[in-house]
Amino acid sequence: AQSVAQPEDQVNVAEGNPLTVKCTYSVSGNPYLFWYVQYPNRGLQFLLKYITGDNLVKGSYGFEAEFNKSQTSFHLKKPSALVSDSALYFCAVRSDYKLSFGAGTTVTVRA
Amino acid sequence: DAGITQSPRHKVTETGTPVTLRCHQTENHRYMYWYRQDPGHGLRLIHYSYGVKDTDKGEVSDGYSVSRSKTEDFLLTLESATSSQTSVYFCAITKDSTWYGYTFGSGTRLTVV
């Protein structure tokens, strides 16, 4: 079965510092990986996806993610975090038209 | 979110009563999903549909049923609501391809008292 794990419940960073949200995956076959963000009282919004090709994927709002096949990781990154990036982030893997989500990581960016 | 709406947005119901949540899409997408979101669990799949009258169970389907009589509507029913079903419920849609992720609705916050 496909699954993802987000090892950190919370990540706290200062505004302007780099932000990393970790995700590891377990799949059979080629992984289709996604990152979503959820702001308070809202649905999930798509950030980026990895299907194939370049290991560095660029997405919305200045976010990027690095696919690492040997470490089975797909970490989300932003070079310079903003207070407005404070939200709940989910990693997900797709299989047979279904997405399986990690438990989520709450990111807090302090001014 | 564009193209997908959930109703109601909030609902409080009593234990043992039936509850139906509605998901409506205008994108003509084939696949529709119901998830529940609970702290520490992320999103867990309840049921999904791959076409009109074609549905299947997800990982937490006990106590829930679904119906899809039209492409645009996917209904989630709690036959007899329990307190453990207090949660935020999200509907999602996707195109008929593994290249796409989901588009999510804004969610329904259900409280069972």
Side-chain angles (χ1 to χ4, degrees):
Chain A
Q2 323 284 60
S3 65
V4 292
Q6 295 179 242
E8 299 164 317
D9 293 335
Q10 290 195 331
V11 170
N12 299 306
V13 298
E15 188 172 36
N17 282 1
L19 169 63
T20 298
V21 186
K22 296 179 180 178
C23 173
T24 59
Y25 66 88
S26 174
V27 302
S28 56
N30 295 322
Y32 298 129
L33 298 163
F34 301 80
W35 276 102
Y36 285 83
V37 60
Q38 184 181 32
Y39 298 101
N41 300 313
R42 300 289 299 276
L44 277 70
Q45 298 177 28
F46 171 79
L47 279 179
L48 51 80
K49 65 183 177 186
Y50 173 83
I51 303 298
T52 187
D54 195 350
N55 289 343
L56 186 64
V57 180
K58 294 190 181 297
S60 306
Y61 313 122
F63 283 94
E64 57 189 27
E66 185 173 8
F67 173 72
N68 188 316
K69 187 173 183 178
S70 62
Q71 297 185 4
T72 62
S73 66
F74 188 56
H75 300 332
L76 181 70
K77 300 180 180 182
K78 188 170 184 179
S80 178
L82 301 173
V83 172
S84 57
D85 293 328
S86 298
L88 181 58
Y89 291 80
F90 290 99
C91 182
V93 61
R94 181 165 180 169
S95 172
D96 295 333
Y97 303 106
K98 295 179 287 185
L99 277 180
S100 296
F101 290 87
T105 298
T106 299
V107 170
T108 302
V109 182
R110 60 185 183 276
Chain B
D1 291 281
I4 178 171
T5 55
Q6 292 183 232
S7 59
R9 292 296 311 275
H10 302 272
K11 186 170 182 65
V12 179
T13 191
E14 293 186 349
T15 299
T17 61
V19 177
T20 295
L21 310 182
R22 181 180 184 238
C23 178
H24 179 78
Q25 62 145 328
T26 58
E27 304 295 324
N28 201 35
H29 285 352
R30 178 182 174 188
Y31 292 85
M32 299 185 75
Y33 306 81
W34 278 107
Y35 284 85
R36 61 178 288 174
Q37 182 180 16
D38 304 288
H41 291 279
L43 279 80
R44 293 179 292 175
L45 182 64
I46 305 172
H47 282 279
Y48 66 102
S49 171
Y50 47 94
V52 174
K53 298 186 178 180
D54 291 325
T55 65
D56 206 349
K57 297 179 179 180
E59 60 182 307
V60 290
S61 59
D62 288 348
Y64 302 95
S65 62
V66 290
S67 66
R68 191 170 179 197
S69 59
K70 300 184 291 184
T71 298
E72 56 266 36
D73 289 325
F74 192 34
L75 304 180
L76 177 69
T77 297
L78 290 66
E79 300 291 347
S80 178
T82 67
S83 58
S84 64
Q85 294 176 311
T86 293
S87 186
V88 180
Y89 292 85
F90 286 100
C91 178
I93 59 176
T94 190
K95 295 183 182 181
D96 190 4
S97 168
T98 59
W99 299 101
Y100 293 93
Y102 293 178
T103 300
F104 282 86
S106 298
T108 295
R109 183 173 296 275
L110 176 68
T111 302
V112 183
V113 297

